[in-house]
Amino acid sequence: MPVELLGKSQQELREWMASLGEPAYRGAQVYHALYAERRFDFAAMTNLPAALHERLKRQAAITLPAVARKYQSADGAVRYLLPLGPQPAAAGGSEAPPTRRATVEAVFMPSEGRQTICISTQAGCAVDCKYCLTATLGLVRNLSAGEIVGQVLVALEDNRERLAPRTNVVLMGQGEPLLNYDATMAAVRILLDPNALALSPRHVTLSTSGIVPGIERLAKEKVRPKLAVSLNASNDSERDALMPINRKYPIAALLEACRRYPLRPWERLTFEYVLLGGVNDSADDARRVARLVGGLRAKVNLIPWNPGVPQSGMPYAPPTPAAIEEFRSILAEKQVPVFVRYSRGQDIFAACGQLAVIESGIETHA
Ligand code: SF4
């Protein structure tokens, strides 16, 4: 069985190469060719001798996620539907038993001077946020580090001709990254490594529903992305209803973890707040949010809810333009940095989980 190399760290590739009886530095050369030069064919790894090409062809594989469908938005965004194979084997183990088909999505969004790539860390999700279509899938399975980093590589390759100098990556697709911590962080280290994809930590953002132990663990990492927290409510009863995870990690505990989070000098936290018309978008909500986040070095992104799939059955409505503006101006008056973000690619169902739900044919709850 060939060994899958995508997702391996430099150290793992060095050790694997040494286990073949090759010099360990060959592992570092494969690492550079794979992630920095984005060469996925051993024959194209010109830094390796020809005899090693042949050996790698027999004994190793580089498997990028396959693109089952590609949707092009009028605004330039491209959405990829990526069916994944069986759960990759854990080191030394055999393949996990087959589960439901795992399909994830990645989105490429070009803009002036940069592209932003949104990737998934799990197929489906167990967190059950009530406004999110991915939640209707439940957790199908965790992604491996290779499957996570592979989404970025697929999006970069497919848009090779039009890449801008800067790449942003947001871990905001399907799944809760902090509930697939090890694979997510292995992928993030490859994204941020100057010898691999060499993205800046300022340009990689992990978004969490508020898994407090995960935030505490992330706080101790030497190499880490920026942190965004989905707040989405201004008090516990409202948040319990929208995000049941709040019963486990209520707002006070979440904000305490945020207060203790060691921000780098250039960094601030992001709080994401999906505005649901008539649910969490009142002026009182805005005043409470300002009080909650007021003492933190943080900004708030207001995201007007995108109904996405027609007849999704979700009991929510987009906020009115007046409610969005009132919410925004209350936060701004209280000196909280605030931005209104509209979802890109609405014509291609670019909100989290929408394509996978459509493709899986799952019934969404009414
Ligand atoms: S919003 Fe994110 S954490 Fe919540 S159910 Fe959807 S994918 Fe999971």
Side-chain angles (χ1 to χ4, degrees), residues 122 124-136 172-177 207-210 230 232 242-243 245 352-353:
Q122 298 180 307
C125 185
V127 173
D128 201 23
C129 303
K130 298 303 177 195
Y131 52 87
C132 168
L133 275 178
T134 297
T136 60
M172 294 185 185
Q174 283 182 40
E176 165 51 66
S207 176
T208 179
S209 58
S230 292
N232 299 337
L242 288 174
M243 303 179 75
I245 195 76
C352 161

Side-chain angles (χ1 to χ4, degrees), residues 146-165:
E147 289 168 334
I148 297 169
V149 88
Q151 295 168 62
V152 176
L153 295 172
V154 163
L156 289 175
E157 274 313 281
D158 194 50
N159 295 280
R160 199 179 256 273
E161 303 309 320
R162 60 163 175 163
L163 288 182

Side-chain angles (χ1 to χ4, degrees), residues 100-101 105 123-125 128 132-140 174 309-314 352-366:
R100 281 180 293 148
R101 192 183 62 176
E105 295 144 71
C125 185
D128 201 23
C132 168
L133 275 178
T134 297
T136 60
L137 295 168
L139 177 65
V140 180
Q174 283 182 40
V309 183
Q311 288 98 40
S312 71
M314 295 214 154
C352 161
Q354 292 181 354
L355 273 187
V357 169
I358 293 168
E359 292 288 327
S360 72
I362 200 168
E363 299 264 327
T364 50
H365 43 74

Side-chain angles (χ1 to χ4, degrees), residues 244-259:
I245 195 76
N246 193 67
R247 294 192 200 116
K248 199 162 181 189
Y249 307 117
I251 290 177
L254 174 59
L255 291 181
E256 185 50 33
C258 291
R259 247 184 295 282

Side-chain angles (χ1 to χ4, degrees), residues 274-337:
V274 176
L275 286 167
L276 302 159
V279 174
N280 64 356
D281 65 342
S282 70
D284 282 345
D285 282 308
R287 284 187 274 272
R288 283 192 292 265
V289 168
R291 277 199 295 278
L292 289 174
V293 307
L296 293 161
R297 181 144 42 103
K299 66 170 173 167
V300 174
N301 281 344
L302 300 176
I303 306 158
W305 188 62
N306 166 15
V309 183
Q311 288 98 40
S312 71
M314 295 214 154
Y316 301 115
T320 64
I324 298 170
E325 178 46 28
E326 187 180 31
F327 206 106
R328 190 203 63 76
S329 66
I330 289 172
L331 287 178
E333 275 163 26
K334 308 266 181 206
Q335 315 301 323
V336 175

